[in-house]
Amino acid sequence: MMTGLRAKSILLSVLILVTLLGIWEWSHLAPTSTQPLTEYEKLMGGASQEARVPPPSEVIKLGYKELSDPFYVAGPNDKGIGIQLGYSIYRVLVGFFLAALIAIPVGFLIGMSPLMYNALNPFIQVLRPISPLAWMPLALFIIKDSNLSAIFVIFICSIWPMLLNTAFGVANVREDWLKVAKTHELSPFQTAWQVIFPAAAPTILTGMRISVGIAWLVIVAAEMLVGGTGIGYYVWNEWNNLDLASVIFSIVMIGVVGMILDMALAFASRWFSYQE
């Protein structure tokens, strides 16, 4: 039954996609009324009043060209989409795992100790709402390296969902499981590793999924600021070249990679799921 439901869901998704692409393509072919140039169009070199967002057929054609040779290097500002995505994924994963190395142990500490929770909670509540991009100027001034500054921004935005979800999962482990651990005279370390961590693991993985999604969102904006390489820089550079087909293609690639990152953590969470 689930297989049939899955097949119907896939079919419906394909139909929705085809319908939306068809409407998009048709809207490009439909005639439009002639309107005078706006001041912005005049500044951009007198763009035609009939200029529109490129149709999906043009984006697909460009995507095939880009994906057929994704790792070319034709100059410092002309690199393949594979190289641009590779830089972005590298920055996201480095910042994400550095955040995990700190967020998970500190989350355990906060979840197991009401004293540490009360002591650290004010700092968390002040720092958590700060936009990650607000840290970029300070990071550039102190680190003096755009690549490391981007990684630092990813670290900042990734740490809070993991830390809070870890603390929540640890604090809400069932009391009777902890009593069983005391009955068996487990040490605090054994209790944390053999009882608390398995019970809190699904919640921790949820925090990691939230973090990697936020990190992938932030890296695009961060790379627009620092430039150089990365999918964010690629989007901004193609916009400056007024190549909207490349901008749309890069947006699609951002969505696909973000989905793959989330699916990878969703698959990993299956290893930590359990039934009572």
Side-chain angles (χ1 to χ4, degrees), residues 22 41 45 60 84 103 123 145 154 163 181-182 206-207 233 265:
E41 289 172 333
I60 292 172
Q84 306 289 6
F123 299 98
D145 183 276
I154 296 303
L163 189 152
K182 289 182 179 179
T206 300
Y233 170 74
L265 284 174

Side-chain angles (χ1 to χ4, degrees), residues 6-174:
R6 183 175 181 82
K8 291 179 181 178
S9 300
I10 293 174
L11 178 61
L12 181 59
S13 296
V14 172
L15 289 175
I16 293 173
L17 176 62
V18 171
T19 301
L20 293 176
L21 291 179
I23 294 172
W24 182 5
E25 187 78 27
W26 176 84
S27 67
H28 178 77
L29 298 175
T32 57
S33 59
T34 302
Q35 297 180 357
L37 295 176
T38 64
E39 290 298 325
Y40 177 75
E41 289 172 333
K42 293 177 182 178
L43 290 174
M44 297 304 293
S48 171
Q49 63 268 30
E50 295 187 2
R52 306 184 199 174
V53 175
S57 57
E58 184 178 334
V59 177
I60 292 172
K61 182 179 179 181
L62 173 69
Y64 176 79
K65 177 184 175 183
E66 289 286 340
L67 294 176
S68 62
D69 186 17
F71 300 105
Y72 75 87
V73 178
N77 295 325
D78 189 8
K79 298 178 181 179
I81 190 70
I83 294 177
Q84 306 289 6
L85 286 170
Y87 275 98
S88 298
I89 293 171
Y90 165 75
R91 291 168 181 146
V92 165
L93 292 182
V94 171
F96 175 79
F97 283 114
L98 287 176
L101 289 176
I102 294 178
I104 294 176
V106 174
F108 259 84
L109 182 63
I110 293 174
M112 296 177 66
S113 171
L115 174 63
M116 293 304 299
Y117 172 81
N118 292 328
L120 295 178
N121 187 55
F123 299 98
I124 295 172
Q125 297 308 320
V126 169
L127 295 174
R128 184 171 60 90
I130 299 174
S131 170
L133 296 179
W135 294 95
M136 180 62 78
L138 185 62
L140 288 170
F141 177 78
I142 296 175
I143 301 175
K144 304 186 186 305
D145 183 276
S146 60
N147 184 55
L148 293 178
S149 297
I151 291 174
F152 173 77
V153 169
I154 296 303
F155 168 83
I156 288 293
C157 75
S158 299
I159 195 169
W160 306 119
M162 279 191 282
L163 189 152
L164 294 175
N165 273 56
T166 301
F168 177 81
V170 169
N172 286 275
V173 174
R174 285 171 48 172

